[in-house]
Amino acid sequence: MKIRMLCRRDVVYIWHLSEKLVIVRGVDNTQPQVGDSDRRWKRMEVIDTHSLERRRKRVRVAAGVGLLLATVGLTFGIVLMKSMETRSDLLPVGHIAPDFFAKTSNGEIVHLADMRKHKRVVLVFYPGDYTPLCTAQLCSFRDNWDALQTEDAIVFGVNPAEKEKHAGFAAKNRLPFPLIVDRGNEIARAYGCRAMLGIVKRTVYILDRQGHVAWVKRGNPAPSEVLRVLHDLKDNF
């Protein structure tokens, strides 16, 4: 391809010869002087080189900001994931379970200490109502409710949502057990289930009749595993 360059500054002229584009630089919009042998060269458009450079700079800045945001987001996600999975803040087996008063989805007030000597307690800490994984987890306990009652256990879902939201979620999914309103994540904090930004770490606790931690596990253990622990538990008075 034949290219002819008239090198000046500030303005870029785009010329063509026989359908071939040629860039010719000049100081202003005046057509550069070309010889008779170059009469077939014709100007197509003018582009301001300063505008081009400004556009390139904006693109570079936008790309840099995008990369920075992506890096920050990825780093935050990794830190949050590690925070959700850490087990160092779990209450150890044998530890006295922290007592609490709290309102439930059915409008009642639950006092943990009142259940000692009467019931085993399963506390299911979960991040949020109506989310797919949380719904599936709580519904799995619903589907095993009869077996849980046979083991003399009562289940509480624990989450900071308001009573009305809890009540709607429980009614929609026909949950036979109450959901505790954990205002300010106070219960979650006491049981080592509060992550960054107040997010609840998915955790299941089993408390024996004496009010001690009998078993604890992060994540989403199957109800069959919980039932097995309850069945083997020796906490009769």
Side-chain angles (χ1 to χ4, degrees):
M1 178 178 178
K2 182 178 178 181
I3 298 178
R4 181 182 181 87
M5 299 290 295
L6 298 183
C7 296
R8 297 184 186 177
R9 57 176 183 156
D10 297 336
V11 180
V12 174
Y13 293 95
I14 300 179
W15 295 65
H16 76 91
L17 174 62
S18 301
E19 306 301 330
K20 296 179 181 180
L21 296 181
V22 178
I23 297 176
V24 181
R25 297 181 182 276
V27 176
D28 50 32
N29 291 337
T30 304
Q31 179 175 319
Q33 298 297 317
V34 297
D36 292 340
S37 60
D38 298 314
R39 288 176 181 175
R40 290 177 296 172
W41 296 92
K42 295 182 179 179
R43 189 175 68 185
M44 294 177 63
E45 62 177 300
V46 178
I47 303 174
D48 186 345
T49 55
H50 292 314
S51 296
L52 282 175
E53 184 58 33
R54 285 195 295 270
R55 284 198 291 270
R56 292 193 189 100
K57 185 176 181 180
R58 285 196 293 268
V59 169
R60 289 194 297 268
V61 170
V65 171
L67 180 60
L68 177 61
L69 291 176
T71 302
V72 171
L74 179 61
T75 302
F76 177 77
I78 293 173
V79 172
L80 179 59
M81 184 176 297
K82 290 183 177 180
S83 173
M84 292 290 286
E85 294 176 351
T86 182
R87 291 167 170 76
S88 60
D89 50 352
L90 288 173
L91 298 178
V93 172
H95 192 278
I96 292 291
D99 194 20
F100 58 79
F101 285 90
K103 185 180 294 186
T104 66
S105 54
N106 55 21
E108 298 178 353
I109 300 295
V110 59
H111 182 199
L112 182 63
D114 291 342
M115 299 179 196
R116 291 175 184 168
K117 300 183 181 181
H118 302 289
K119 289 285 186 180
R120 296 158 169 177
V121 178
V122 179
L123 297 177
V124 183
F125 292 89
Y126 65 101
D129 295 339
Y130 297 103
T131 60
L133 184 55
C134 295
T135 300
Q137 182 182 23
L138 294 177
C139 286
S140 69
F141 282 95
R142 174 201 65 194
D143 297 340
N144 288 271
W145 182 241
D146 290 342
L148 288 162
Q149 288 188 304
T150 299
E151 298 298 340
D152 202 25
I154 184 170
V155 176
F156 292 102
V158 186
N159 181 269
E162 294 295 333
K163 171 187 171 296
E164 292 74 16
K165 186 175 182 180
H166 272 336
F169 178 62
K172 179 179 180 180
N173 294 285
R174 306 186 308 280
L175 300 180
F177 50 85
L179 306 178
I180 289 176
V181 179
D182 183 17
R183 290 188 179 277
N185 283 308
E186 293 180 0
I187 302 174
R189 186 182 294 106
Y191 282 78
C193 297
R194 185 181 185 277
M196 295 174 58
L197 304 179
I199 299 174
V200 176
K201 300 180 184 180
R202 194 182 304 280
T203 312
V204 177
Y205 275 91
I206 295 177
L207 312 180
D208 64 20
R209 290 187 180 93
Q210 287 92 357
H212 296 88
V213 175
W215 182 85
V216 59
K217 189 170 184 178
R218 282 272 192 255
N220 185 12
S224 58
E225 185 177 1
V226 174
L227 285 166
R228 186 164 56 251
V229 174
L230 288 168
H231 183 75
D232 295 338
L233 195 57
K234 308 298 182 183
D235 61 345
N236 293 318
F237 289 93

